[in-house]
Amino acid sequence: MRNFKSKSSVVLLLALTTLTACHSELQKPLTQAPAVKDTTSSAQWFNQGKQLAQNAAPVANTQTAKNLILIVGDGMGITTHTAARIFAGQQQGLLGEEYTLSFETLPYSALIKTYNTDQQTPDSAGTMTALVSGVKTRAGMLSVSSDAERGHCGSSQGKSLATVFDLAEQQNKATGIVTTARITHATPAALYAHSPERNWESDNMLPEEARKNGCLDIAQQLINHQQGKQRLEVIFGGGQRHFLPTSEPAGKRTDQQNLTAQWQSLPDHHLLTNKQQLQDADLTHGHWLGLFANSHLPYVDQRDKHTPGLLDMTQAALSRLKHQPQGYALMIEAGRIDHGHHAGSGYKALREAEELDQTVNWLLNTIDLSETLLIVTADHSHTLTLAGYPTRGNPMLGVVFSNDDQGRPETKPYKLTDGGYYTSINYRNGPGAVALQRPSVDPQQALQPEYLQQALVPLESETHGGEDVALYAAGPWAHLFGGTMEQHWVYHVMRHALLAE
């Protein structure tokens, strides 16, 4: 359960989470101009701030962390974070701006620089490597140092970087990964694989040079990892295709190996492929591979009853990891926030972020923060913008309704000088790019899940953003987070907390 080691910080937490009630089912977006009115008085606004100022700072916890939970909202930059807050609040009938995401209640925060050693705007492989190894590296490379050349196997030999999972497993802690992406995708793979190329998810992508020099694909590296002394207890996500031969439907492996069969041939190793199996499994012991989709898990709205969500997988993973007397290390990735943005769909990205909010809310009501270091951050940002002058409570996905000269909400959408409407969230680039003359936004079409927000620069896929991302933390040694920090420093706080050096 939540424990911030300080009565005053608990009071602050309760104040911040008044509007953060967990809801069991994600709802549809608002479909009209805001109807909710803010009745907060000037005295109430003032007293809210006064209460905050009167609370003492939380007491620093300098105990050794028994457990570690690192949560990554892939692509959840500051604008995504803000838009998700408003969006999630509006699903609960609020104006939205006053809502508090579950992880925003954590007592420590920082801004995190995200650049790679070779790119100003980073990719997930390089950023995740920095987070879990304590060393910055090149874009596209997984837990190998920047001395290597991307995509060149020979140059990466002897350049592998140890990760926080290596450290945890040396301490005999249970380790687990939960992701809505493929488990061989960059973010999860950085914890168990070492590769100069993130795209080598299965052997069909290995070039001849890599084969000659003995580099293994990422899926094979997972199986080999399990054959050593240090083994994952849980890894849940998608990506079945990279474990199956091309002779199987949708299989990608040209070596014709069935890695799911190899996994199950290992002692006490079990395979899960659907939600019912996950719910029925006895997770008190053993090693569990959950492959719940051929590629990435479907987006929230596109999942059927057979596909578990982020919360389902997190609950199952924790039910396995908590049985380890020495503790555990768990990485949770909301991977499809990133994919929604690449597709130019603010709706998809915000729905995935809302699911992350609900998952963290469950965790905060379940884990003991006196012995668990909990970190919520992003690996990088995206080009999403939140701008214009929409009225308070403007539907996050809708066209802009502005205020009149007296500050009252207009009854019709704001019309630009080009005669058209516009939305407050847009992209710098991507598939939603428009040409001059800019077409107007249809107010009803803008609210549809498949609508692509308008963008400036036409690209097949919207790109990452290069700005800092936010980090929130609680638990042992979380007080070391603050100010603006390099991304690879996050690893060193985790290491310090686990070792209490």
Side-chain angles (χ1 to χ4, degrees):
M1 64 190 333
R2 305 185 191 194
N3 184 352
F4 290 97
K5 307 288 284 183
S6 163
K7 180 179 179 180
S8 59
S9 60
V10 172
V11 172
L12 173 57
L13 175 61
L14 292 174
L16 289 173
T17 56
T18 300
L19 298 171
T20 318
C22 181
H23 49 293
S24 60
E25 183 176 346
L26 295 174
Q27 302 169 18
K28 298 298 181 183
L30 298 180
T31 57
Q32 58 186 11
V36 180
K37 303 299 182 184
D38 185 2
T39 59
T40 308
S41 68
S42 295
Q44 288 173 311
W45 286 119
F46 187 85
N47 287 333
Q48 286 178 13
K50 185 177 180 181
Q51 180 183 6
L52 172 65
Q54 290 174 342
N55 284 321
V59 177
N61 181 348
T62 57
Q63 301 299 311
T64 303
K66 178 181 179 181
N67 309 312
L68 167 68
I69 301 177
L70 172 63
I71 300 175
V72 178
D74 198 314
M76 189 175 66
I78 298 292
T79 305
T80 304
H81 185 155
T82 304
R85 177 197 303 141
I86 299 171
F87 178 83
Q90 289 177 347
Q91 307 318 297
Q92 299 190 28
L94 305 172
L95 286 165
E97 294 85 358
E98 75 280 29
Y99 184 71
T100 302
L101 294 170
S102 53
F103 46 88
E104 292 178 316
T105 66
L106 301 181
Y108 300 101
S109 61
L111 288 175
I112 304 297
K113 302 179 188 178
T114 63
Y115 64 94
N116 300 140
T117 59
D118 60 342
Q119 285 189 187
Q120 190 174 78
T121 298
D123 96 311
S124 294
T127 52
M128 190 60 176
T129 296
L131 284 168
V132 302
S133 76
V135 177
K136 281 185 179 288
T137 194
R138 297 178 185 271
M141 303 203 308
L142 295 168
S143 294
V144 296
S145 72
S146 59
D147 297 333
E149 178 184 341
R150 179 174 181 177
H152 190 272
C153 173
S155 70
S156 68
Q157 302 297 323
K159 306 293 175 58
S160 295
L161 299 170
T163 73
V164 69
F165 268 26
D166 294 323
L167 175 64
E169 289 168 351
Q170 289 167 12
Q171 294 180 304
N172 202 29
K173 296 184 186 297
T175 51
I177 294 171
V178 168
T179 179
T180 52
R182 296 190 296 269
I183 64 173
T184 51
H185 215 233
T187 302
L191 284 160
Y192 63 82
H194 305 275
S195 177
E197 177 52 63
R198 59 174 290 175
N199 293 318
W200 294 351
E201 294 185 60
S202 49
D203 75 301
N204 65 305
M205 294 299 293
L206 289 174
E208 185 59 30
E209 184 274 333
R211 297 176 190 274
K212 288 176 59 177
N213 282 300
C215 278
L216 298 175
D217 63 87
I218 293 167
Q220 184 66 65
Q221 287 192 53
L222 174 60
I223 302 301
N224 289 5
H225 179 86
Q226 295 302 111
Q227 295 172 339
K229 293 182 180 180
Q230 301 172 0
R231 295 173 290 180
L232 291 160
E233 273 65 36
V234 170
I235 181 162
F236 294 155
Q240 190 176 59
R241 68 188 191 185
H242 295 300
F243 293 81
L244 298 176
T246 54
S247 58
E248 297 281 343
K252 291 284 188 179
R253 302 198 65 81
T254 56
D255 60 10
Q256 300 310 313
Q257 293 191 81
N258 186 324
L259 299 190
T260 62
Q262 290 185 25
W263 174 280
Q264 293 177 90
S265 71
L266 297 171
D268 208 12
H269 279 59
H270 312 278
L271 176 68
L272 303 169
T273 59
N274 59 59
K275 185 175 181 178
Q276 190 63 53
Q277 291 177 356
L278 182 68
Q279 293 172 339
D280 294 342
D282 177 7
L283 297 172
T284 57
H285 61 87
H287 305 270
W288 297 85
L289 172 63
L291 295 172
F292 301 114
N294 193 49
S295 183
H296 305 300
L297 266 63
Y299 290 109
V300 170
D301 287 345
Q302 297 172 356
R303 294 178 199 148
D304 59 26
K305 63 180 182 180
H306 304 296
T307 306
L310 188 66
L311 179 57
D312 299 317
M313 295 188 292
T314 298
Q315 291 172 332
L318 205 61
S319 72
R320 170 63 186 93
L321 301 178
K322 70 181 182 181
H323 291 288
Q324 189 78 354
Q326 291 81 13
Y328 61 82
L330 172 63
M331 192 285 292
I332 302 168
E333 182 202 19
R336 306 226 65 188
I337 299 172
D338 177 71
H339 303 156
H341 281 319
H342 281 309
S345 172
Y347 175 80
K348 289 184 173 69
L350 298 184
R351 287 280 271 155
E352 299 296 316
E354 185 185 18
E355 182 182 42
L356 177 61
D357 172 43
Q358 295 179 342
T359 301
V360 176
N361 187 70
W362 178 83
L363 278 169
L364 288 175
N365 286 286
T366 304
I367 63 175
D368 184 355
L369 286 172
S370 69
E371 62 179 18
T372 304
L373 174 58
L374 174 66
I375 300 168
V376 182
T377 190
D379 49 353
H380 56 75
S381 183
H382 271 272
T383 71
L384 185 74
T385 63
L386 176 58
Y389 295 102
T391 190
R392 173 82 183 280
N394 201 97
M396 181 45 57
L397 296 168
V399 297
V400 169
F401 286 77
S402 193
N403 292 334
D404 63 20
D405 292 340
Q406 287 72 47
R408 295 185 295 262
E410 298 278 10
T411 58
K412 294 182 179 180
Y414 185 83
K415 185 170 288 189
L416 299 172
T417 55
D418 64 7
Y421 303 132
Y422 74 111
T423 55
S424 59
I425 60 169
N426 295 284
Y427 288 98
R428 167 65 172 75
N429 56 46
V434 298
L436 292 178
Q437 181 175 355
R438 183 193 72 88
S440 178
V441 176
D442 181 273
Q444 292 303 313
Q445 185 182 13
L447 292 163
Q448 300 306 308
E450 297 306 316
Y451 176 73
L452 301 184
Q453 281 73 33
Q454 292 183 340
L456 175 63
V457 179
L459 291 175
E460 181 179 350
S461 174
E462 181 267 351
T463 71
H464 295 171
E467 69 269 23
D468 300 348
V469 297
L471 177 147
Y472 295 88
W477 296 97
H479 60 281
L480 295 181
F481 291 113
T484 300
M485 305 177 69
E486 295 282 359
Q487 194 164 46
H488 64 290
W489 295 358
V490 177
Y491 164 87
H492 294 282
V493 175
M494 295 188 293
R495 176 184 175 87
H496 185 83
L498 290 173
L499 298 177
E501 295 176 326

